[in-house]
Amino acid sequence: KNQPKILGDFSSGKKALVLGAGYVSAPVIEYLTRDKDLGVTVAAALKSEADKVALAHERTEPVLLDVEERPDLLDDLIKSHDVVVSLLPWTLHPLIAQRAIANKTNMVTASYLS
């Protein structure tokens, strides 16, 4: 796996926003980046976690984001992506869903509670 990492390569038409950089995010991002036409932004409340996940995957950019403290940045990110993948705690999914609907952006989650 000696391919160079392409930072910020969002010249492609497809962009995915992954919210959360915990244990589930790495396999999800690995799967998403199999599509060479897809750019990924991973957003997390701890920048070091987002950085770690992003460094391991091509076409993946890290962003510092606390979804409750920065709804303006959350909206900006959602608007600029084609899909939102929420890997945040299930209690935050209603907030994310509300913003995704308001911005007319598809959202998916792995949660079975929300």
Side-chain angles (χ1 to χ4, degrees):
K1 193 169 181 168
N2 293 329
Q3 297 174 339
K5 179 174 168 48
I6 303 169
L7 288 173
D9 179 21
F10 295 123
S11 58
S12 65
K14 298 186 288 183
K15 297 178 277 187
L17 173 61
V18 176
L19 299 175
Y23 292 114
V24 178
S25 64
V28 168
I29 293 170
E30 187 279 324
Y31 177 79
L32 291 172
T33 56
R34 290 179 193 177
D35 182 342
K36 301 297 184 202
D37 293 325
L38 181 70
V40 175
T41 302
V42 58
L46 296 174
K47 183 73 163 51
S48 61
E49 289 184 3
D51 288 341
K52 182 179 176 183
V53 174
L55 282 171
H57 300 91
E58 292 182 316
R59 296 177 313 282
T60 304
E61 283 290 327
V63 173
L64 174 65
L65 173 65
D66 182 318
V67 297
E68 293 176 302
E69 297 291 322
R70 291 293 311 273
D72 57 324
L73 180 56
L74 175 62
D75 274 347
D76 288 346
L77 287 167
I78 289 173
K79 285 178 201 171
S80 65
H81 289 77
D82 300 298
V83 65
V84 178
V85 180
S86 180
L87 302 176
L88 297 172
W90 69 271
T91 54
L92 293 172
H93 290 163
L95 168 67
I96 306 306
Q98 181 185 46
R99 300 317 315 147
I101 291 167
N103 289 292
K104 297 180 171 53
T105 303
N106 291 322
M107 175 194 152
V108 294
T109 180
S111 177
Y112 53 89
L113 293 175
S114 58

